[in-house]
Amino acid sequence: MATENKNLSAYDKNNLPNAEAYRFGIVVSQWNNHITHNLQKGAIDALIDLGAKEENISSFKVPGSFELIYGASQLCKKGNFDALIVIGSVIRGETAHFDYVCQGVTQGIKDLNVQQDIPVIFCVLTDDTEQQSLDRSGGKHGNKGTEAGVTAVIMAEFKKNI
Ligand SMILES: Nc1c(NC[C@H](O)[C@H](O)[C@H](O)CO)[nH]c(=O)[nH]c1=O
Ligand SMILES: CC(=O)[C@@H](O)COP(=O)(O)O
C-alpha cells in the first residue's frame, strides 16, 4: 500500500517555499475529533515550521466531513486566504453511508478547486478501521495533516507565481 511505505510527515524545508507571507484557512470536522485534532495539529505545526505566522492561520469547525464542502466554499468567497486545508476522518460503518460521504466530500472539494480561485487541500482520511486513521494522524505512518500543511504552502506559492 502506498502509505505503508511512506512517512507522511517527512519533508525537506530547504526544498520548500517560505510561508511567511501567506494566510491559511483550516476547516476541521468534529466527527472522530480524536483523529481530526491530531491532523489539525500536524498541519499547523508544518505551516509554522515553514514560516507561517500563527496570526495568519485561522481554524473553523464543522460537524462532519460532508460540511467541509460548505465551510471551505464560504472561506473561498471571503477571499482572504492564500490556501485552505479541509480536515476530516471518515471511518467505515455498517452501511453504504461511508461511500456516499467519501464520494460527496471528494467531489465537492474537487469542484471548489475547479470553480474557486483558492487551492483547497484535501486532508480527509477515508479508512476502513479506526486503527488505519490512528496510524495516519501521528501514528506509525506519520501524519497526513503534516503532508497537507506542506502541500498548502506549495500551492500558495504556485498561486502567487502563475
Ligand atoms: N460517519 C461519519 C460522518 N458522517 C456525518 C457526515 O459527514 C455529515 O455530517 C452528515 O451526513 C450530515 O450532513 N462524518 C465524518 O466526518 N466521519 C464519519 O465517519
Ligand atoms: C461514514 C459514516 O457515516 C458511517 O460511519 C456511519 O456508520 P453506519 O454506516 O454504521 O451508520
Side-chain angles (χ1 to χ4, degrees):
M1 184 183 299
T3 302
E4 189 76 28
N5 304 310
K6 177 178 171 23
N7 178 347
L8 299 168
S9 304
Y11 62 90
D12 179 356
K13 283 176 71 171
N14 298 317
N15 293 328
L16 292 169
N18 185 299
E20 184 177 12
Y22 299 130
R23 300 155 303 169
F24 300 94
I26 302 177
V27 188
V28 191
S29 163
Q30 295 308 289
W31 257 80
N32 301 317
N33 68 351
H34 60 303
I35 301 295
T36 61
H37 175 77
N38 289 341
L39 293 170
Q40 179 187 19
K41 183 180 187 310
I44 292 173
D45 288 350
L47 291 173
I48 291 172
D49 187 42
L50 293 176
K53 300 172 184 171
E54 283 194 52
E55 59 265 31
N56 287 342
I57 303 171
S58 304
S59 293
F60 305 84
K61 295 179 181 179
V62 294
S65 289
F66 195 83
E67 284 72 46
L68 293 172
I69 304 166
Y70 179 81
S73 174
Q74 293 303 303
L75 296 186
C76 285
K77 291 170 185 172
K78 280 185 176 294
N80 54 347
F81 297 106
D82 298 293
L84 302 180
I85 300 170
V86 294
I87 293 177
S89 167
V90 192
I91 299 175
R92 188 181 297 276
E94 294 176 359
T95 71
H97 196 232
F98 171 86
D99 300 306
Y100 290 99
V101 170
C102 292
Q103 277 301 322
V105 177
T106 303
Q107 293 305 316
I109 299 305
K110 178 267 291 177
D111 290 345
L112 289 179
N113 277 285
V114 171
Q115 297 161 8
Q116 300 292 330
D117 190 38
I118 300 176
V120 183
I121 309 308
F122 186 81
C123 184
V124 179
L125 298 186
T126 54
D127 298 317
D128 289 317
T129 66
E130 183 183 34
Q131 188 58 51
Q132 288 176 343
S133 302
L134 292 168
D135 291 345
R136 290 158 176 78
S137 55
K140 68 178 181 179
H141 294 315
N143 192 324
K144 273 194 181 285
T146 305
E147 182 184 13
V150 171
T151 302
V153 173
I154 294 169
M155 292 310 292
E157 181 88 346
F158 179 97
K159 179 174 182 289
K160 183 189 76 170
N161 292 335
I162 56 173

